[in-house]
């Protein structure tokens, strides 16, 4: 009887450890959905960051527009960068959101004055989306970790991306 109790206890302990490991491993699809939910639940958006530059651009394409969100010129070290941009009014269960660092095998890092693309140290990242709206309202989340990969940081942004008069780029109207 004692052996059965010990065996049962070991089985519970091993099963408990296995469940904890599985919870810590989030699939790319899970991270993708989590980021959409985080953006949707957020109420406070910024238009700039003190840690890096963030700019927007929009261009006319056949049947609509393509917008770009550029994150570059880091002022601190950012490791394991993940970012997502979503447009208001779009159902991202049926349409893929613009993202970087979620589905790629590459892990992106931005460190001031360090570029080595083979090792994942990039100058910047670009998110691109297609829209039928000439002035899309885009919300986004940028998240990264510190060098030790122990702390995660998140910043939320909201932009009205508008084409310039000469259509040479786009301006960002500050609105949150």
């Amino acid at each position: 009887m004692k052996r059965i109790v010990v065996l049962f206890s070991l089985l519970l302990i091993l099963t408990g450890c296995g469940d904890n490991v599985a919870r810590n491993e989030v699939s790319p699809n899970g991270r993708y959905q989590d980021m959409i939910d985080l953006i949707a639940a957020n109420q406070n958006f910024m238009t700039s960051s003190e840690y890096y530059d963030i700019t927007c651009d929009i261009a006319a394409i056949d049947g609509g527009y393509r917008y770009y969100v550029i994150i570059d010129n880091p002022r601190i070290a950012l490791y394991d960068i993940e970012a997502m941009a979503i447009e208001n009014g779009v159902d991202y269960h049926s349409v893929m959101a613009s993202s970087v660092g979620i589905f790629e095998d590459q892990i992106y890092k931005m460190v001031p004055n360090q570029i080595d693309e083979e090792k994942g140290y990039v100058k910047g990242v670009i998110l691109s989306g297609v829209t039928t709206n000439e002035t899309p309202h885009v919300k986004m989340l940028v998240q990264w970790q510190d060098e030790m990969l122990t702390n995660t940081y998140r910043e939320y942004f909201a932009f009205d991306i508008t084409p310039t008069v000469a259509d040479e780029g786009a301006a960002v109207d500050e609105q949150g």
Side-chain angles (χ1 to χ4, degrees):
M1 183 67 171
K2 203 177 208 184
R3 288 183 186 174
I4 293 174
V5 170
V6 170
L7 183 61
F8 184 72
S9 297
L10 284 173
L11 183 63
L12 282 176
I13 290 171
L14 291 175
T15 303
C17 292
D19 286 343
N20 288 338
V21 170
R23 284 189 205 120
N24 290 334
E25 294 176 4
V26 180
S27 72
N29 288 336
R31 289 195 325 268
Y32 173 87
Q33 189 58 51
D34 288 347
M35 289 183 78
I36 289 174
D37 294 343
L38 285 168
I39 295 169
N42 190 60
Q43 299 295 316
N44 299 312
F45 294 93
M46 306 181 311
T47 56
S48 64
S49 174
E50 64 183 85
Y51 305 116
Y52 46 85
D53 292 343
I54 186 164
T55 55
C56 301
D57 197 2
I58 192 165
I61 59 171
D62 288 340
Y65 300 89
R66 178 170 292 280
Y67 65 83
Y68 304 90
V69 180
I70 301 116
I71 302 166
D72 62 0
N73 298 320
R75 292 182 266 296
I76 63 166
L78 299 100
Y79 291 85
D80 197 8
I81 299 167
E82 295 180 329
M84 176 180 287
I86 62 172
E87 184 182 358
N88 273 2
V90 176
D91 177 14
Y92 287 101
H93 293 96
S94 60
V95 176
M96 189 69 163
S98 176
S99 66
V100 68
I102 299 172
F103 294 104
E104 297 95 338
D105 291 333
Q106 178 81 31
I107 295 174
Y108 297 103
K109 305 167 212 112
M110 291 191 327
V111 177
N113 304 313
Q114 292 185 29
I115 300 171
D116 187 343
E117 291 182 16
E118 289 181 11
K119 294 181 180 178
Y121 291 91
V122 296
K123 182 178 193 260
V125 294
I126 300 174
L127 291 87
S128 172
V130 176
T131 182
T132 57
N133 189 345
E134 184 178 10
T135 58
H137 182 73
V138 175
K139 293 180 180 176
M140 73 178 295
L141 166 59
V142 178
Q143 71 180 22
W144 70 92
Q145 293 184 318
D146 59 13
E147 185 176 9
M148 301 304 293
L149 304 177
T150 55
N151 297 307
T152 299
Y153 302 90
R154 291 187 177 118
E155 291 188 327
Y156 296 88
F157 301 93
F159 304 108
D160 283 325
I161 306 173
T162 58
T164 60
V165 175
D167 199 30
E168 295 174 357
V172 175
D173 288 339
E174 294 185 10
Q175 180 180 347

